[in-house]
Amino acid sequence: MNILVLGAGQLARMMSLAGAPLNLNIISYDVGSKQLMHPLTLHVIDQSLTEAIAECDAITAEFEHIPDDVLTECSVSGKFYPGKQAIKIGGDRSLEKALLGKTCVPCAPYQLITERSHLNNAIDDPGLPLVIKTCQAGYDGKGQWRIKSDSNVEQIWSEMSDFLAAGSNDAPHSIIAEKMIPFQREVSVIGARDKFGNTAIYPVTENEHTGGVLTLSVAKAISQDIQQQAMDAFNRLVSEMDYVGVLAIEFFDVDGKLMVNEIAPRVHNSGHWTQQGTLCSQFENHLRAVAGLPLGATEMIGPSAMINVLGQADIPVEVLSVPDVTSHWYGKAQRPGRKMGHINVVAETEQLLGEKLVALAAFLPEEDYPGVARRGKDLTQN
């Protein structure tokens, strides 16, 4: 079976690796160069997008910011999962907020901004402090501002107005102002839904970000109440969208109540731990869903962690001397802050996971791998 993936980055690469044992052949479409290629070798395939759509059995996407004409052409084929609307929602926070409101899934109070008067309204209600996010083209902490007092409003509005002015009638730009919510931790849930409405949901994962970029994810025992809240949100959203594939939802944990930060209609960085931490990874389950295959098991093999490798050309070889540690590389050119790969570690108990993170921290400098040592010590002391 041939599956076309819109996008040719690391997520398509990992889908290709997961698909091979299932006899699923993955072909990528690089929306920037408009070329078809193999996601592992990057060998260019002499074929048009139209020809690839005709020959493939299913189409999916590895990211949200895809030109509308490409989404439309894939959608009319009847082979595109999770579908045009789901991808559009994932790439536009205003559509995302509308979906959350329609499904009664909690999120922070917000105000949509397309002109200065809307910002003034947001300062009054929901009120300062505010987190300002672009509705389109924002990722990994980019396209965001924070207003904590009136003193920096003018400077921030100048930058916001530049973004709004860059939009067009066909592709207007908008901005969301959200109430800044004090939260105890950030968590996420990842699950898959097949074409028949069956779901398979992974355990909730605790995430740590540095400068808006995910640096560390830990999957371990979590309260049943938190897991149930996350699963309820997942089921409401996928049911409303008639979703097929893997969906990720990021939450703020506010005194034991989950509030959605954002959703991603695709496999997600915070789910990379599933490659070694479960019998069926998020990549395999996504492919199973879009290919019409039965979904796989999502239970943890054991407490697990994922450490992002950001901007590093390599990792110390000693990392691989720690038991049950696996490295994954994306084949990218080195660039500061760029996601170059990740490290997965799995253990039999949380105590042992903590010990392994402490061992890894001896080889991974804190400035490049923030939080690994601290989180390891926390786990060993619980």
Side-chain angles (χ1 to χ4, degrees), residues 196-218:
F196 311 103
N198 302 307
T199 61
I201 303 175
Y202 292 93
V204 166
T205 307
E206 296 182 6
N207 304 315
E208 297 189 17
H209 292 76
T210 304
V213 180
L214 181 67
T215 49
L216 176 67
S217 291
V218 176

Side-chain angles (χ1 to χ4, degrees), residues 73-92:
E73 185 175 3
C74 291
S75 183
V76 298
S77 72
K79 304 174 183 179
F80 187 29
Y81 305 101
K84 177 178 178 178
Q85 186 60 19
I87 299 298
K88 298 284 277 188
I89 289 171
D92 189 322

Side-chain angles (χ1 to χ4, degrees), residues 2 32 68 92 122 172 174 176 196 216 255 326 345 356:
N2 294 320
D68 188 75
D92 189 322
S174 57
I176 287 281
F196 311 103
L216 176 67
D255 299 323
T326 308
V345 54
K356 290 178 182 182

Side-chain angles (χ1 to χ4, degrees), residues 29 82 104-105 127-128 161 167 179 182 196 215 307 317 328:
Y29 178 69
C104 298
V105 174
L128 299 179
S161 60
K179 181 71 174 178
F196 311 103
T215 49
I307 305 165
V317 294
H328 297 263

